[in-house]
Amino acid sequence: TGAREDFEWVYTDQPHADRRKEILAKHPEIKALMKPDYNLIWVVVLMVLAQLTAFYLVKDLDWKWVVFWAYVFGSCISHSMTLAIHEISHNSAFGNSKAMWNRWFGIFANLPIGLPYSISFKRYHMDHHRYLGGDGIDVDIPTNFEGWFFCTRFRKFIWIVLQPFFYAIRPLCINPKPITRLEIINLSAQLVFDVVIYYLWGVKSIFYMLAGSILGLGLHPISGHFIAEHYMFLKGHETYSYYGPLNLLTFNVGYHNEHHDFPNIPGKSLPLVKKIAAEYYDNLPQYNSWVKVLYDFVMDDTISPYSRMKRQLKGEVKQD
């Protein structure tokens, strides 16, 4: 079997809603986990302070050391912060009753990444949960061009390196949305922050910030989660969980079946969901290494950006 020529079109609803109903009927105690994780607030504040300290420490280093620390340290904090922003987009920091507090906090968490995206991410990410694989709606699905072009081992490797670029451009190609006031605030706050860092500490601090973000979201062990979550390594399975050690850095985003079943439960509590409803999760296909996922994605000639399930959406589509 060669590389796929198109996406795997499916005509069934996503499995998560039904499994959620079944699990809640059998284990109603899971409802108690649907509450904010206030620890998230302190973790994010500490991460922002850690990056500010790093911006200061790299300002006079040799360029080779700026690059070294951007990849070894900055990339991990940056990628981890994008997953904190993912948690915040689900209102995990302050709860659903204080939705706007979560939006402002997301803008704050976004600062040390250097590029504004927190508010836009929230708008598109809710579509990803509601309409998983929805054609023209779920911008987590690659474009036809990506599937067609990135089909050889070398090109798939380049695709992984350029992952942050595709995540930024894809929404504009697949499902552009009118800009909101909050997005303008997100952009303005980010520009002011970047200018202040440049003014205080110079170009090396800015380079460290941006390079760390781009490297961390590209060829990096943590980036295995982009592919591990929904690429079909096994026909018929569209969501996969990862139970390895990098969950410690990523707010348990590896618990991805659990997350799609219960998007209103913070990452901190997802291992408990798996434990309580073990009979639902233990036998699903799962990973223990994101590095192996990246390696297999590049080396397996039957897997490509086309290896995704896609749905033609029926009925009314409500978007953020």
Side-chain angles (χ1 to χ4, degrees):
T1 55
R4 303 183 57 90
E5 300 289 314
D6 191 9
F7 297 100
E8 176 85 16
W9 286 89
V10 287
Y11 301 93
T12 53
D13 287 335
Q14 55 166 301
H16 299 290
D18 289 345
R19 189 159 59 219
R20 173 192 173 97
K21 276 192 201 113
E22 252 183 74
I23 291 175
L24 283 176
K26 199 168 165 188
H27 301 288
E29 67 272 27
I30 282 180
K31 285 195 181 121
L33 303 174
M34 297 174 183
K35 58 178 194 285
D37 169 16
Y38 295 118
N39 285 339
L40 181 63
I41 300 165
W42 300 111
V43 173
V44 166
V45 169
L46 286 172
M47 284 163 71
V48 171
L49 291 174
Q51 276 295 66
L52 282 173
T53 307
F55 296 161
Y56 173 74
L57 293 173
V58 300
K59 71 183 172 63
D60 299 321
L61 291 181
D62 255 5
W63 274 107
K64 63 173 183 288
W65 288 111
V66 178
V67 174
F68 174 81
W69 288 115
Y71 189 73
V72 171
F73 183 74
S75 64
C76 296
I77 297 261
S78 266
H79 200 137
S80 184
M81 192 62 100
T82 65
L83 294 163
I85 288 170
H86 167 247
E87 286 282 291
I88 296 163
S89 78
H90 285 283
N91 293 340
S92 291
F94 295 97
N96 290 324
S97 61
K98 292 184 174 159
M100 274 312 292
W101 288 43
N102 290 285
R103 299 296 74 75
W104 294 115
F105 192 55
I107 291 172
F108 168 74
N110 195 157
L111 295 175
I113 293 170
L115 301 163
Y117 87 103
S118 164
I119 298 294
S120 307
F121 173 78
K122 150 86 179 158
R123 297 175 74 200
Y124 283 104
H125 189 64
M126 295 306 110
D127 296 342
H128 169 65
H129 277 273
R130 264 183 229 133
Y131 308 111
L132 183 63
D135 186 32
I137 301 289
D138 182 359
V139 299
D140 194 59
I141 299 273
T143 56
N144 278 314
F145 169 78
E146 288 168 75
W148 168 78
F149 185 78
F150 294 98
C151 52
T152 66
R153 289 178 182 182
F154 176 70
R155 289 181 191 177
K156 286 192 286 182
F157 175 78
I158 296 301
W159 185 74
I160 288 171
V161 173
L162 297 177
Q163 204 62 276
F165 172 75
F166 288 115
Y167 268 93
I169 299 296
R170 211 181 278 149
L172 306 174
C173 303
I174 294 180
N175 183 15
K177 298 185 178 193
I179 279 190
T180 62
R181 189 178 67 95
L182 271 178
E183 283 173 307
I184 293 167
I185 294 171
N186 191 180
L187 172 67
S188 311
Q190 193 63 57
L191 285 174
V192 169
F193 178 83
D194 294 357
V195 168
V196 168
I197 294 298
Y198 176 73
Y199 179 75
L200 289 177
W201 297 323
V203 73
K204 286 178 179 173
S205 299
I206 289 285
F207 176 86
Y208 165 87
M209 170 165 65
L210 297 174
S213 299
I214 291 164
L215 292 167
L217 295 164
L219 189 64
H220 195 279
I222 299 177
S223 289
H225 81 87
F226 288 134
I227 290 167
E229 289 163 3
H230 299 290
Y231 285 79
M232 264 193 315
F233 280 80
L234 285 174
K235 195 169 163 57
H237 288 277
E238 71 183 306
T239 308
Y240 300 75
S241 287
Y242 154 85
Y243 299 123
L246 288 174
N247 276 310
L248 292 168
L249 287 179
T250 57
F251 302 90
N252 287 331
V253 77
Y255 287 75
H256 217 68
N257 268 302
E258 295 83 346
H259 171 61
H260 271 268
D261 292 354
F262 299 101
N264 53 346
I265 293 181
K268 174 185 86 164
S269 303
L270 292 177
L272 263 171
V273 172
K274 179 181 187 284
K275 198 172 162 190
I276 293 168
E279 69 275 23
Y280 287 91
Y281 296 113
D282 286 355
N283 298 321
L284 292 175
Q286 52 191 249
Y287 301 114
N288 290 305
S289 164
W290 276 334
V291 174
K292 187 172 183 329
V293 169
L294 290 171
Y295 177 82
D296 290 346
F297 179 81
V298 171
M299 300 308 286
D300 185 335
D301 295 332
T302 65
I303 305 280
S304 77
Y306 268 143
S307 304
R308 291 288 296 257
M309 283 196 185
K310 225 174 175 190
R311 294 182 168 79
Q312 202 75 57
L313 293 172
K314 307 178 282 289
E316 194 191 352
V317 173
K318 291 192 179 76
Q319 298 185 66
D320 273 20

PDB file of all heavy atoms in Angstrom, residues 63-74:
ATOM      1  N   TRP A  63      26.063  34.253  20.515  1.00  0.00           N
ATOM      2  CA  TRP A  63      24.905  33.806  19.729  1.00  0.00           C
ATOM      3  C   TRP A  63      24.703  32.294  19.810  1.00  0.00           C
ATOM      4  O   TRP A  63      23.572  31.819  19.885  1.00  0.00           O
ATOM      5  CB  TRP A  63      25.053  34.239  18.259  1.00  0.00           C
ATOM      6  CG  TRP A  63      24.547  35.626  18.055  1.00  0.00           C
ATOM      7  CD1 TRP A  63      25.293  36.753  17.838  1.00  0.00           C
ATOM      8  CD2 TRP A  63      23.182  36.066  18.070  1.00  0.00           C
ATOM      9  NE1 TRP A  63      24.484  37.856  17.719  1.00  0.00           N
ATOM     10  CE2 TRP A  63      23.176  37.473  17.853  1.00  0.00           C
ATOM     11  CE3 TRP A  63      21.961  35.418  18.254  1.00  0.00           C
ATOM     12  CZ2 TRP A  63      22.001  38.224  17.805  1.00  0.00           C
ATOM     13  CZ3 TRP A  63      20.787  36.168  18.205  1.00  0.00           C
ATOM     14  CH2 TRP A  63      20.815  37.548  17.989  1.00  0.00           C
ATOM     15  N   LYS A  64      25.816  31.533  19.809  1.00  0.00           N
ATOM     16  CA  LYS A  64      25.651  30.067  19.805  1.00  0.00           C
ATOM     17  C   LYS A  64      24.937  29.596  21.080  1.00  0.00           C
ATOM     18  O   LYS A  64      24.137  28.666  21.059  1.00  0.00           O
ATOM     19  CB  LYS A  64      26.986  29.345  19.618  1.00  0.00           C
ATOM     20  CG  LYS A  64      28.021  29.547  20.688  1.00  0.00           C
ATOM     21  CD  LYS A  64      29.230  28.627  20.432  1.00  0.00           C
ATOM     22  CE  LYS A  64      30.269  28.736  21.541  1.00  0.00           C
ATOM     23  NZ  LYS A  64      30.997  30.018  21.489  1.00  0.00           N
ATOM     24  N   TRP A  65      25.200  30.311  22.187  1.00  0.00           N
ATOM     25  CA  TRP A  65      24.536  29.946  23.450  1.00  0.00           C
ATOM     26  C   TRP A  65      23.088  30.424  23.470  1.00  0.00           C
ATOM     27  O   TRP A  65      22.215  29.787  24.066  1.00  0.00           O
ATOM     28  CB  TRP A  65      25.301  30.509  24.657  1.00  0.00           C
ATOM     29  CG  TRP A  65      26.578  29.765  24.846  1.00  0.00           C
ATOM     30  CD1 TRP A  65      27.842  30.232  24.644  1.00  0.00           C
ATOM     31  CD2 TRP A  65      26.721  28.386  25.230  1.00  0.00           C
ATOM     32  NE1 TRP A  65      28.766  29.243  24.887  1.00  0.00           N
ATOM     33  CE2 TRP A  65      28.110  28.093  25.249  1.00  0.00           C
ATOM     34  CE3 TRP A  65      25.815  27.380  25.553  1.00  0.00           C
ATOM     35  CZ2 TRP A  65      28.608  26.838  25.584  1.00  0.00           C
ATOM     36  CZ3 TRP A  65      26.309  26.111  25.890  1.00  0.00           C
ATOM     37  CH2 TRP A  65      27.683  25.854  25.908  1.00  0.00           C
ATOM     38  N   VAL A  66      22.813  31.539  22.792  1.00  0.00           N
ATOM     39  CA  VAL A  66      21.422  32.011  22.690  1.00  0.00           C
ATOM     40  C   VAL A  66      20.591  30.945  21.950  1.00  0.00           C
ATOM     41  O   VAL A  66      19.498  30.564  22.388  1.00  0.00           O
ATOM     42  CB  VAL A  66      21.340  33.374  21.960  1.00  0.00           C
ATOM     43  CG1 VAL A  66      19.885  33.827  21.828  1.00  0.00           C
ATOM     44  CG2 VAL A  66      22.157  34.436  22.695  1.00  0.00           C
ATOM     45  N   VAL A  67      21.161  30.436  20.848  1.00  0.00           N
ATOM     46  CA  VAL A  67      20.469  29.403  20.068  1.00  0.00           C
ATOM     47  C   VAL A  67      20.317  28.122  20.906  1.00  0.00           C
ATOM     48  O   VAL A  67      19.238  27.509  20.956  1.00  0.00           O
ATOM     49  CB  VAL A  67      21.236  29.094  18.758  1.00  0.00           C
ATOM     50  CG1 VAL A  67      20.609  27.923  18.023  1.00  0.00           C
ATOM     51  CG2 VAL A  67      21.272  30.341  17.861  1.00  0.00           C
ATOM     52  N   PHE A  68      21.397  27.744  21.592  1.00  0.00           N
ATOM     53  CA  PHE A  68      21.383  26.534  22.424  1.00  0.00           C
ATOM     54  C   PHE A  68      20.260  26.606  23.472  1.00  0.00           C
ATOM     55  O   PHE A  68      19.432  25.704  23.583  1.00  0.00           O
ATOM     56  CB  PHE A  68      22.746  26.357  23.109  1.00  0.00           C
ATOM     57  CG  PHE A  68      22.785  25.230  24.103  1.00  0.00           C
ATOM     58  CD1 PHE A  68      22.966  23.915  23.686  1.00  0.00           C
ATOM     59  CD2 PHE A  68      22.641  25.482  25.472  1.00  0.00           C
ATOM     60  CE1 PHE A  68      23.000  22.877  24.606  1.00  0.00           C
ATOM     61  CE2 PHE A  68      22.673  24.443  26.403  1.00  0.00           C
ATOM     62  CZ  PHE A  68      22.850  23.135  25.966  1.00  0.00           C
ATOM     63  N   TRP A  69      20.226  27.716  24.232  1.00  0.00           N
ATOM     64  CA  TRP A  69      19.219  27.830  25.297  1.00  0.00           C
ATOM     65  C   TRP A  69      17.809  28.002  24.733  1.00  0.00           C
ATOM     66  O   TRP A  69      16.837  27.558  25.340  1.00  0.00           O
ATOM     67  CB  TRP A  69      19.568  28.973  26.262  1.00  0.00           C
ATOM     68  CG  TRP A  69      20.742  28.615  27.122  1.00  0.00           C
ATOM     69  CD1 TRP A  69      21.975  29.201  27.126  1.00  0.00           C
ATOM     70  CD2 TRP A  69      20.811  27.548  28.085  1.00  0.00           C
ATOM     71  NE1 TRP A  69      22.810  28.576  28.026  1.00  0.00           N
ATOM     72  CE2 TRP A  69      22.121  27.557  28.633  1.00  0.00           C
ATOM     73  CE3 TRP A  69      19.904  26.585  28.539  1.00  0.00           C
ATOM     74  CZ2 TRP A  69      22.536  26.644  29.606  1.00  0.00           C
ATOM     75  CZ3 TRP A  69      20.312  25.673  29.504  1.00  0.00           C
ATOM     76  CH2 TRP A  69      21.615  25.711  30.027  1.00  0.00           C
ATOM     77  N   ALA A  70      17.711  28.633  23.552  1.00  0.00           N
ATOM     78  CA  ALA A  70      16.384  28.764  22.917  1.00  0.00           C
ATOM     79  C   ALA A  70      15.813  27.376  22.635  1.00  0.00           C
ATOM     80  O   ALA A  70      14.624  27.132  22.842  1.00  0.00           O
ATOM     81  CB  ALA A  70      16.484  29.571  21.629  1.00  0.00           C
ATOM     82  N   TYR A  71      16.689  26.451  22.160  1.00  0.00           N
ATOM     83  CA  TYR A  71      16.189  25.117  21.828  1.00  0.00           C
ATOM     84  C   TYR A  71      16.015  24.237  23.065  1.00  0.00           C
ATOM     85  O   TYR A  71      15.034  23.516  23.198  1.00  0.00           O
ATOM     86  CB  TYR A  71      17.100  24.398  20.815  1.00  0.00           C
ATOM     87  CG  TYR A  71      16.461  23.115  20.317  1.00  0.00           C
ATOM     88  CD1 TYR A  71      15.381  23.164  19.436  1.00  0.00           C
ATOM     89  CD2 TYR A  71      16.888  21.864  20.764  1.00  0.00           C
ATOM     90  CE1 TYR A  71      14.751  22.004  19.000  1.00  0.00           C
ATOM     91  CE2 TYR A  71      16.254  20.696  20.333  1.00  0.00           C
ATOM     92  CZ  TYR A  71      15.189  20.773  19.451  1.00  0.00           C
ATOM     93  OH  TYR A  71      14.557  19.622  19.034  1.00  0.00           O
ATOM     94  N   VAL A  72      16.961  24.312  23.994  1.00  0.00           N
ATOM     95  CA  VAL A  72      16.955  23.379  25.125  1.00  0.00           C
ATOM     96  C   VAL A  72      15.959  23.798  26.210  1.00  0.00           C
ATOM     97  O   VAL A  72      15.275  22.965  26.792  1.00  0.00           O
ATOM     98  CB  VAL A  72      18.381  23.249  25.717  1.00  0.00           C
ATOM     99  CG1 VAL A  72      18.384  22.472  27.019  1.00  0.00           C
ATOM    100  CG2 VAL A  72      19.295  22.587  24.699  1.00  0.00           C
ATOM    101  N   PHE A  73      15.864  25.105  26.463  1.00  0.00           N
ATOM    102  CA  PHE A  73      15.002  25.573  27.555  1.00  0.00           C
ATOM    103  C   PHE A  73      13.782  26.346  27.039  1.00  0.00           C
ATOM    104  O   PHE A  73      12.639  25.993  27.326  1.00  0.00           O
ATOM    105  CB  PHE A  73      15.808  26.433  28.534  1.00  0.00           C
ATOM    106  CG  PHE A  73      15.011  26.894  29.726  1.00  0.00           C
ATOM    107  CD1 PHE A  73      14.694  26.001  30.741  1.00  0.00           C
ATOM    108  CD2 PHE A  73      14.573  28.207  29.827  1.00  0.00           C
ATOM    109  CE1 PHE A  73      13.943  26.409  31.849  1.00  0.00           C
ATOM    110  CE2 PHE A  73      13.814  28.627  30.919  1.00  0.00           C
ATOM    111  CZ  PHE A  73      13.503  27.729  31.933  1.00  0.00           C
ATOM    112  N   GLY A  74      14.056  27.392  26.233  1.00  0.00           N
ATOM    113  CA  GLY A  74      12.967  28.258  25.764  1.00  0.00           C
ATOM    114  C   GLY A  74      11.883  27.496  25.021  1.00  0.00           C
ATOM    115  O   GLY A  74      10.687  27.748  25.208  1.00  0.00           O
TER     116      GLY A  74
END
